[in-house]
Amino acid sequence: MTIHIINPNSLSHVTDGIARAVAPIAAASPVPITCHTLADGPPGIETQAHVDGVVAPMLHFARGLETDASAFVVACFSDPGLAALREQSKVPVIGIAEAAVLTAMTMGQRFGIISILSKSIPRHMRYLGAMGVMDRLAADLPLELGVQDLADEARTFARLQEVGRTLRDGHGAEVLILGCAGMAAFRARLETDLGLRVVEPCQAAAAMAVGRVALARAQ
Amino acid sequence: MTIHIINPNSLSHVTDGIARAVAPIAAASPVPITCHTLADGPPGIETQAHVDGVVAPMLHFARGLETDASAFVVACFSDPGLAALREQSKVPVIGIAEAAVLTAMTMGQRFGIISILSKSIPRHMRYLGAMGVMDRLAADLPLELGVQDLADEARTFARLQEVGRTLRDGHGAEVLILGCAGMAAFRARLETDLGLRVVEPCQAAAAMAVGRVALARAQ
Amino acid sequence: MTIHIINPNSLSHVTDGIARAVAPIAAASPVPITCHTLADGPPGIETQAHVDGVVAPMLHFARGLETDASAFVVACFSDPGLAALREQSKVPVIGIAEAAVLTAMTMGQRFGIISILSKSIPRHMRYLGAMGVMDRLAADLPLELGVQDLADEARTFARLQEVGRTLRDGHGAEVLILGCAGMAAFRARLETDLGLRVVEPCQAAAAMAVGRVALARAQ
Amino acid sequence: MTIHIINPNSLSHVTDGIARAVAPIAAASPVPITCHTLADGPPGIETQAHVDGVVAPMLHFARGLETDASAFVVACFSDPGLAALREQSKVPVIGIAEAAVLTAMTMGQRFGIISILSKSIPRHMRYLGAMGVMDRLAADLPLELGVQDLADEARTFARLQEVGRTLRDGHGAEVLILGCAGMAAFRARLETDLGLRVVEPCQAAAAMAVGRVALARAQ
Amino acid sequence: MTIHIINPNSLSHVTDGIARAVAPIAAASPVPITCHTLADGPPGIETQAHVDGVVAPMLHFARGLETDASAFVVACFSDPGLAALREQSKVPVIGIAEAAVLTAMTMGQRFGIISILSKSIPRHMRYLGAMGVMDRLAADLPLELGVQDLADEARTFARLQEVGRTLRDGHGAEVLILGCAGMAAFRARLETDLGLRVVEPCQAAAAMAVGRVALARAQ
Amino acid sequence: MTIHIINPNSLSHVTDGIARAVAPIAAASPVPITCHTLADGPPGIETQAHVDGVVAPMLHFARGLETDASAFVVACFSDPGLAALREQSKVPVIGIAEAAVLTAMTMGQRFGIISILSKSIPRHMRYLGAMGVMDRLAADLPLELGVQDLADEARTFARLQEVGRTLRDGHGAEVLILGCAGMAAFRARLETDLGLRVVEPCQAAAAMAVGRVALARAQ
């Protein structure tokens, strides 16, 4: 049996990053954790059409993994297809955004989210509203960095610091969430720098999946 | 220019029912209203997988209508693809669930929803949460009737009365919403019977689209 | 039959501005739209006493128009007497604040309101609370301009830009609402300037009334 | 200096009932408490038009009492003109509905409201929404008794018991509020009968006014 | 019979400050007001452990005062043991934070809180969430002053002004609450300086207790 | 290193029941799970005074375990001392009520809670309000069984079924939470009987702790 983490975009280097992020968790897991790239997914999930469009291929892909699955993790911060995969699968299904939010809710009263681009924030707001946790949100602020800028690690970290500080000092965030699957490399440094807990969503989700696999033993 | 109403399931008799429901509105519209069946849609939208899966073909279909569109109406009470179609299109996009809720909010302080099956209610709750209007909801209760039962008009109306009365007397609903695209034929009778305004969502959406087409003239 | 728009203050030049704002909508309406000045109203509605005090004369005035009314629009951003006129009249009654908010809720996840003066904001907050839509509000910020300053168009527009930018960049507003009946002339320019949809409340209400008149044909 | 309680309807026997209800409070007040009948008010406040229409005469009446006022209490459960009187007056202004709710919030986590008629409940809901306290409401249920029935004390008390029990056992109310100015005579018996605290709104408001008069000494 | 105000920390000079703050209220009270220092309390209540730890000795202390108590006031802005003391005592129990919030809710639509240190704000947020009044909160901002700095009155007042202005101008607060039992001396000056009502929580609680003692006469 | 589960009451047979409930989870945990009885705790935690009073001895006890702790679980459904222990400890601290709620939020849109006695429900409501998740609650209903009745397993299960059915059919709960640490033995049967997921809070918390221990490896 295996915890299957599905990166619903088609970029295998993103999947590799997720695998590196969750490797220490896998080491403590009672079952293996395997990361998959959804070959039929788009090269990035940036629009609502991407979010909705990726569901059908992801459900198809997950159906093929169901028989040896202990749990699924959907590794995109929009949690595409989370409700649909829960309908389809018999095992726990964890979305990285939901897992990050629920984990952050045990670490501080108000969480801040650092998004890449402002255009995804309304989607996050709809989702947090559907989760019923808007009163726990400090704010969701964008780095507003393009692909080019994100390639520059120093520049990206500087913006993470800047936005994180605004969330902490201007919006009362006690804990931060990295609102994207690809920033795990910055987590520890940002946590140290800001003096706040920083939740990397793939790690939060993998850890929650480990817990749920353990829980299933009791049920 | 045209208001395009898209029934995202593949059943043309459902589309015919929508067309009948909105015909009186079309007569008062400054532009024609045309109802379409999404040939690529499933025969019914019952699961979250249906809701998500219908988005890509619907976006494709709507793209073909964009050049002569004044507005789009998505005619399924789960409002599939509403956010995605708004990203894609330059004209107003109205979902029948959202339109029904916003219309009901002008007719009474708390609205009740009559759903066909209880399994769709959690989806509605997520959506009302995302809309941020949970405090206006009296309750969402199911008819819990199968396809066979729904074919029996007398039985269906009896359940509509029963559930409507519970929403009015047990949950304080001041206005009711029919939580499905195919019950327009019962609207007027139910309204008279219960003494409450009853909103049929396709009509509410078509009417809102008419208004938005008028609004676009001012902008 | 007619859509009657009632400006509840006594200034006919305000009514003229509303008539200009809704003229393009009237051209697409199945029934005429007529704007009225409430002669018994105060010269401006600035305090809660004005809001409450204008209800009785407005109800009296509307009663005289009821027989040929298709719908009423109350054209003051405090929606004075909305609930009372709904009790009195058999036709749809639309308030410009409610209509602007409900319209904005279909254009973006969080709306910002630009008010003239900060002293009206608590009244708006009470109203948005009563509507149950506080989670959709980005912020409500004042121009804080007096009558003299408002006469200076360039200065007014500069403040609209400044406050609109703060709502967009500092508070995450995706769509803006002009929180007063008299700023229609700035709408289009502000929308272009900020790259956000801007809702003029009289237009939103007139358009919604057009839709509701069409809806009434189906009921 | 005096605490002025204004009954905004024109029935002096209602005012007499209020005076009897607050007499024990007056005995503990540092200033006299005087109850007034608003001669220009309607014989009962049952519609939204009554609520709005009573504001202007009440403001006029209160202006005449301002110079020797320590505080005002508006003694109608719709709190008509509360915001307007607060704008006008320099002294504390207490509404009986607001006071009852705030008092109940110190006596239990969720309060139930017993209203006379269901038609006033949407107005209460708008008000509780404006107060931002909907999460503390268990439910608001009507006696649904007409004037004739209310004249029958035994019948009225039986309905109070019945509705109170439903609020306690079916809706989780820990404390009850009598949603009308004229049921003080039943308060103690109902409290004993149900084993729940029962808040009479005129008493709650008068007591809060006593507190605010004391507070003013410190400011 | 007496209103007992319990300062749950062990510093008698803090108790003395509370006594000075409520002295004018005591003068208008039908029963004496007595301030007590909880000898077994910690020298200050700064952590959650302090909040929870002080409950048992406070309950013990209050039990000894019960027989001649008209009401209790818990005089620490975390309202330690409020629910427990309400379970234990037969008389009204008022917490200074709750009383300040409920009082502020009658003075403006959104209240701002000025806290001493940011680390207590998450505790306040949990409490306001439990009270169900988050929609009425403008913001809760810290002075972030240490004990040394607080000893400097001029510096403290300058920070109070600065934070108060931010709450008023940046967050829309209409009324301010001093989020600590020891800043009564600054209340009046801050109110005058900012042009906003400023609620001192011990005074608000003592005044509410006076009202509740009066209310008890009616019950 | 160890996950320490602390039963804050003094009954070792309760601790034994918890140990049995989490045994299958322990088998899948990367570190041992040890259950402790707080000898200084009361024989049951039934009042708010118990909840608050148990914090100091529990903090003391936990301090002694800190050096070899991987995580702490507080095993009482009132989550006593959760915030305080989080302040004190460097490792993850999980409360069984919080963990049950967060787990249930991934299993259904609205959760129902089955409490033993109605008197604990207001405490739960305050806590859910502090967590900001009231919109996800279907209802919290009591078994209302005394200690004698609880000893009768058949009777207890019959009430669990009855209350669970009411939560499912009358309140729309999609998932249930056992609102007490001692009903693990009924979980599986109740789940099967009702066709709803049933969350046992000690198991949910232990599983979440396992996940958090894994997460700590990545941080």
Side-chain angles (χ1 to χ4, degrees), chain F:
Chain F
M1 303 299 283
T2 300
I3 293 172
H4 292 293
I5 298 182
I6 304 174
N7 166 24
N9 75 37
S10 62
L11 301 176
S12 59
H13 72 84
V14 171
T15 313
D16 294 345
I18 295 170
R20 277 193 301 276
V22 305
I25 294 164
S29 171
V31 298
I33 297 180
T34 307
C35 296
H36 305 269
T37 303
L38 186 68
D40 297 338
I45 295 187
E46 289 169 10
T47 65
Q48 186 66 43
H50 292 151
V51 173
D52 296 330
V54 88
V55 179
M58 189 183 74
L59 291 178
H60 179 77
F61 185 74
R63 193 173 290 115
L65 300 170
E66 177 79 17
T67 53
D68 86 330
S70 292
F72 287 104
V73 172
V74 179
C76 161
F77 200 74
S78 295
D79 284 356
L82 191 65
L85 186 48
R86 283 177 174 161
E87 279 179 2
Q88 173 179 290
S89 177
K90 289 195 157 28
V91 301
V93 177
I94 309 292
I96 66 168
E98 188 184 68
V101 166
L102 298 180
T103 299
M105 285 168 72
T106 71
M107 293 176 170
Q109 185 62 13
R110 284 183 297 176
F111 56 89
I113 300 177
I114 303 180
S115 294
I116 304 290
L117 294 172
S118 55
K119 73 178 178 182
S120 59
I121 294 179
R123 191 160 66 237
H124 298 169
M125 293 300 107
R126 291 195 297 269
Y127 192 50
L128 295 171
M131 286 186 68
V133 298
M134 287 289 286
D135 277 352
R136 299 292 292 273
L137 176 71
D140 184 335
L141 299 180
L143 298 178
E144 218 67 296
L145 294 179
V147 174
Q148 290 293 89
D149 295 323
L150 285 169
D152 176 344
E153 284 205 13
R155 182 158 160 63
T156 301
F157 188 66
R159 273 299 287 161
L160 283 165
Q161 285 176 299
E162 192 175 7
V163 171
R165 246 180 251 128
T166 302
L167 287 167
R168 182 191 66 189
D169 301 335
H171 298 273
E174 264 191 289
V175 52
L176 300 182
I177 294 171
L178 298 173
C180 151
M183 297 195 284
F186 301 106
R187 197 203 66 79
R189 255 201 300 162
L190 191 63
E191 185 164 291
T192 304
D193 185 74
L194 297 174
L196 289 190
R197 300 295 305 270
V198 177
V199 177
E200 198 287 318
C202 296
Q203 293 175 341
M208 190 172 281
V210 166
R212 295 297 284 277
V213 169
L215 182 61
R217 307 276 169 102
Q219 299 182 345

Side-chain angles (χ1 to χ4, degrees), chain B residues 106 109 130-132 136 207 211-212, chain C residues 106 109 130-132 136 207 211-212:
Chain B
T106 70
Q109 185 62 10
M131 286 187 68
R136 298 292 293 272
R212 294 296 284 276
Chain C
T106 71
Q109 185 62 11
M131 286 187 69
R136 299 291 293 272
R212 295 296 285 275

Side-chain angles (χ1 to χ4, degrees), chain A:
Chain A
M1 302 302 283
T2 300
I3 293 172
H4 293 292
I5 299 182
I6 304 175
N7 166 25
N9 77 36
S10 62
L11 302 176
S12 58
H13 73 84
V14 171
T15 313
D16 294 346
I18 295 169
R20 275 193 302 277
V22 303
I25 293 164
S29 172
V31 297
I33 297 181
T34 308
C35 295
H36 305 270
T37 304
L38 186 69
D40 297 338
I45 294 186
E46 289 169 9
T47 66
Q48 186 67 42
H50 291 150
V51 172
D52 295 331
V54 87
V55 179
M58 191 183 73
L59 291 178
H60 179 79
F61 185 75
R63 194 172 290 115
L65 301 170
E66 177 79 17
T67 52
D68 86 329
S70 291
F72 287 103
V73 171
V74 180
C76 162
F77 200 74
S78 296
D79 283 355
L82 190 65
L85 188 47
R86 283 177 174 160
E87 278 179 3
Q88 171 180 291
S89 176
K90 290 196 158 24
V91 300
V93 178
I94 310 291
I96 65 168
E98 190 185 65
V101 166
L102 298 180
T103 300
M105 284 168 73
T106 71
M107 293 175 170
Q109 184 62 10
R110 284 184 298 175
F111 56 89
I113 299 176
I114 304 180
S115 294
I116 305 289
L117 294 171
S118 56
K119 72 178 176 182
S120 60
I121 293 177
R123 192 161 64 238
H124 298 168
M125 292 301 108
R126 289 195 298 269
Y127 192 50
L128 295 171
M131 286 186 69
V133 297
M134 287 291 285
D135 277 353
R136 299 292 292 272
L137 177 71
D140 183 335
L141 298 180
L143 298 178
E144 218 65 298
L145 293 179
V147 174
Q148 289 294 88
D149 295 326
L150 285 169
D152 177 346
E153 285 205 12
R155 182 158 161 60
T156 300
F157 187 67
R159 272 298 286 161
L160 283 165
Q161 286 177 299
E162 193 175 6
V163 171
R165 246 179 252 129
T166 302
L167 287 166
R168 183 190 65 191
D169 300 335
H171 298 273
E174 262 192 290
V175 51
L176 300 182
I177 294 171
L178 298 173
C180 152
M183 296 194 287
F186 301 106
R187 197 202 66 79
R189 254 201 299 160
L190 191 63
E191 186 163 291
T192 304
D193 185 74
L194 297 174
L196 291 190
R197 300 296 305 268
V198 177
V199 176
E200 198 287 319
C202 296
Q203 293 175 342
M208 190 172 281
V210 166
R212 295 296 284 275
V213 169
L215 181 61
R217 307 275 169 104
Q219 302 183 342

Side-chain angles (χ1 to χ4, degrees), chain E residues 17-37:
Chain E
I18 294 169
R20 274 194 302 277
V22 304
I25 293 165
S29 171
V31 297
I33 297 180
T34 308
C35 295
H36 306 269
T37 303

Side-chain angles (χ1 to χ4, degrees), chain B residues 16-193:
Chain B
D16 295 345
I18 295 169
R20 274 194 303 277
V22 304
I25 292 165
S29 171
V31 297
I33 297 179
T34 307
C35 295
H36 305 269
T37 304
L38 187 68
D40 296 338
I45 295 186
E46 288 169 11
T47 65
Q48 186 67 42
H50 291 150
V51 172
D52 295 331
V54 87
V55 179
M58 191 183 73
L59 291 178
H60 179 78
F61 184 76
R63 195 175 287 114
L65 300 170
E66 176 81 16
T67 51
D68 86 328
S70 291
F72 287 103
V73 171
V74 180
C76 162
F77 200 74
S78 295
D79 284 357
L82 191 66
L85 187 48
R86 282 176 175 161
E87 278 180 4
Q88 173 181 288
S89 176
K90 290 194 155 31
V91 301
V93 177
I94 310 291
I96 66 168
E98 188 185 67
V101 167
L102 298 180
T103 299
M105 285 168 73
T106 70
M107 293 175 171
Q109 185 62 10
R110 284 184 298 176
F111 56 89
I113 299 178
I114 304 178
S115 294
I116 304 289
L117 294 171
S118 56
K119 72 178 178 182
S120 59
I121 293 178
R123 192 160 65 236
H124 298 169
M125 292 302 107
R126 292 195 297 269
Y127 191 50
L128 295 172
M131 286 187 68
V133 297
M134 287 290 284
D135 277 352
R136 298 292 293 272
L137 177 70
D140 183 335
L141 298 180
L143 298 179
E144 219 66 295
L145 293 180
V147 173
Q148 289 294 90
D149 295 325
L150 286 169
D152 177 344
E153 285 205 11
R155 182 157 161 63
T156 301
F157 188 66
R159 273 298 287 160
L160 283 166
Q161 286 176 300
E162 193 175 5
V163 172
R165 246 179 250 129
T166 302
L167 287 166
R168 182 191 65 190
D169 300 335
H171 298 273
E174 263 192 290
V175 51
L176 300 182
I177 293 172
L178 298 173
C180 152
M183 296 195 285
F186 300 106
R187 198 202 66 79
R189 255 201 300 161
L190 191 63
E191 186 164 292
T192 304
D193 185 75

Side-chain angles (χ1 to χ4, degrees), chain C residues 3 16 18 23 25 39 48 58 60 66 83 91 93 104 134 139 142 173 175 211:
Chain C
I3 293 171
D16 295 345
I18 294 169
I25 292 164
Q48 186 67 43
M58 190 183 73
H60 179 78
E66 177 80 16
V91 300
V93 177
M134 286 292 284
V175 51

